[in-house]
Amino acid sequence: MSAARTMIAAVNPRPQIDSENLIPVSAEHLDQWKNLTVQIRAHELVLAGTIEPVPGSALHQANAIYPREKVSAWARSYLLAAAEHLGFWADLVAPYEFDPSVVNKVRFRQYLILGRSGWEAAAHAAWLLDVPSLKFEECVQRFVRLMHRDFTYHRDALVADQADTTAADERIANLATSAEQLPFAAPRSRVPGYEAMLREAAMTLGADENRWAYLWKAASGATHGQNWFGLEGFDLIARAELEPGVYHTVAIPDPSFITETFAAATQTLARGTQLLLHSGGHDPLALLGPAIFEVGARMQKKDQPGDRPDADIAQAETD
């Protein structure tokens, strides 16, 4: 892959991590990481282009129903945010250009933060566009709910900063008025939480919703430094008994959390992007195919001189 060596950082690392603290990551994980980076970059490349809905398409009609804000623009914004988070990870683990002598230290928790952030953003777009009825009216109904929550978050932030909320208040009032004028009911009921969105995406994609929920909770635990993730995300090896029942241990990060989290996040990004393109009257394969080819051409191949498709994982000593 396009990095010389990659190290995954551990909990409570020593001030100086030398080669003795590094454990190779398997080629199986590294190959999956490389494949994921290609997909992420290809989707980001497509989303970076101007993708306006074709006249007469489902998204074009949804935009016409609620012209004050565009469903298509919001969905694309969620997906771009997802691609940006995931793309940053891709740039770290598989940069287009690299120095084979430089060691890339993977930060375990920070990578999961990126994966979680991209996953959640992509799930919003997928939930907005993947409506069970396949009708744009239901899409607009979900859009109204998303806007109401978003506008309220904006107002809450302004209140916290003791700032003027006039513009935010007007936006909320205009939403209420516009929703009442729609030719169908558009209740401002709560938007599903992150876990519910991810479970719904998993079921749509044929994935294990319970496993996805576990991975999301684990990434959340890693994000907030929760103790339980230190037990789930690391292999703990006792080195010495300091006192009865208390051991000095080595904690080895499990890279499968990174692999599975980014795989799920990339699947969700792909699903949201395909929905955006298809419902907008575009052919997803016609756009994604050339993008994948372009990304693949830019990425250095494993068999080129100087490339080392291996990575190391740093181990940490904890008490």
Side-chain angles (χ1 to χ4, degrees):
M1 73 188 280
S2 303
R5 303 192 73 188
T6 305
M7 305 175 187
I8 188 165
V11 177
N12 300 326
R14 294 174 177 174
Q16 298 295 328
I17 299 179
D18 55 38
S19 59
E20 294 182 357
N21 297 104
L22 305 177
I23 301 172
V25 176
S26 70
E28 179 183 1
H29 284 294
L30 295 173
D31 286 342
Q32 292 183 68
W33 290 7
K34 179 177 179 180
N35 290 334
L36 290 171
T37 62
V38 172
Q39 296 178 55
I40 291 166
R41 286 168 168 159
H43 283 85
E44 185 174 24
L45 192 61
V46 170
L47 290 166
T50 301
I51 310 172
E52 291 296 331
V54 173
S57 65
L59 267 182
H60 183 264
Q61 296 181 66
N63 285 345
I65 291 175
Y66 197 92
R68 186 182 292 273
E69 301 274 354
K70 302 294 186 183
V71 176
S72 58
W74 278 58
R76 179 171 173 266
S77 179
Y78 283 125
L79 293 169
L80 280 171
E84 185 175 351
H85 290 303
L86 302 179
F88 184 70
W89 172 78
D91 291 341
L92 291 173
V93 300
Y96 283 121
E97 298 180 1
F98 67 95
D99 181 349
S101 66
V102 174
V103 175
N104 177 27
K105 298 179 181 179
V106 176
R107 304 299 181 182
F108 191 31
R109 295 180 189 273
Q110 286 70 24
Y111 275 30
L112 291 177
I113 292 172
L114 291 171
R116 175 197 175 197
S117 300
W119 197 3
E120 291 174 352
H124 276 75
W127 179 81
L128 175 60
L129 299 175
D130 205 359
V131 293
S133 69
L134 303 179
K135 296 181 179 179
F136 45 81
E137 290 92 343
E138 185 178 2
C139 178
V140 173
Q141 289 174 324
R142 291 189 172 194
F143 186 38
V144 169
R145 295 164 65 186
L146 271 178
M147 285 190 290
H148 179 68
R149 189 189 66 176
D150 190 279
F151 297 170
T152 302
Y153 281 169
H154 185 192
R155 188 183 188 283
D156 290 346
L158 294 174
V159 170
D161 194 38
Q162 297 182 331
D164 183 11
T165 63
T166 301
D169 291 333
E170 289 179 356
R171 207 176 184 196
I172 293 173
N174 289 334
L175 172 62
T177 300
S178 298
E180 291 175 356
Q181 296 173 350
L182 291 173
F184 47 81
R188 289 172 290 173
S189 53
R190 290 182 59 122
V191 173
Y194 292 124
E195 181 181 343
M197 283 188 178
L198 296 178
R199 283 182 176 275
E200 184 173 318
M203 289 186 289
T204 300
L205 291 165
D208 184 343
E209 63 167 304
N210 294 322
R211 183 62 181 176
W212 277 29
Y214 168 80
L215 290 170
W216 176 76
K217 290 178 184 294
S220 300
T223 297
H224 299 293
Q226 293 172 356
N227 178 269
W228 71 270
F229 178 74
L231 301 177
E232 290 290 313
F234 297 79
D235 293 324
L236 303 178
I237 302 175
R239 294 190 62 179
E241 188 173 18
L242 302 179
E243 57 185 82
V246 179
Y247 294 87
H248 193 183
T249 63
V250 173
I252 304 174
D254 183 354
S256 66
F257 280 89
I258 294 175
T259 303
E260 287 192 71
T261 299
F262 277 89
T266 303
Q267 283 184 269
T268 308
L269 171 64
R271 176 62 177 172
T273 303
Q274 290 166 11
L275 287 167
L276 176 70
L277 296 174
H278 181 72
S279 59
H282 300 283
D283 181 357
L285 291 179
L287 293 173
L288 287 168
I292 291 175
F293 180 82
E294 179 179 340
V295 170
R298 290 186 60 189
M299 293 181 67
Q300 187 169 351
K301 301 299 185 293
K302 286 171 58 176
D303 56 357
Q304 290 183 343
D307 193 10
R308 289 193 57 183
D310 59 323
D312 293 329
I313 186 166
Q315 56 184 349
E317 295 186 3
T318 60
D319 294 329

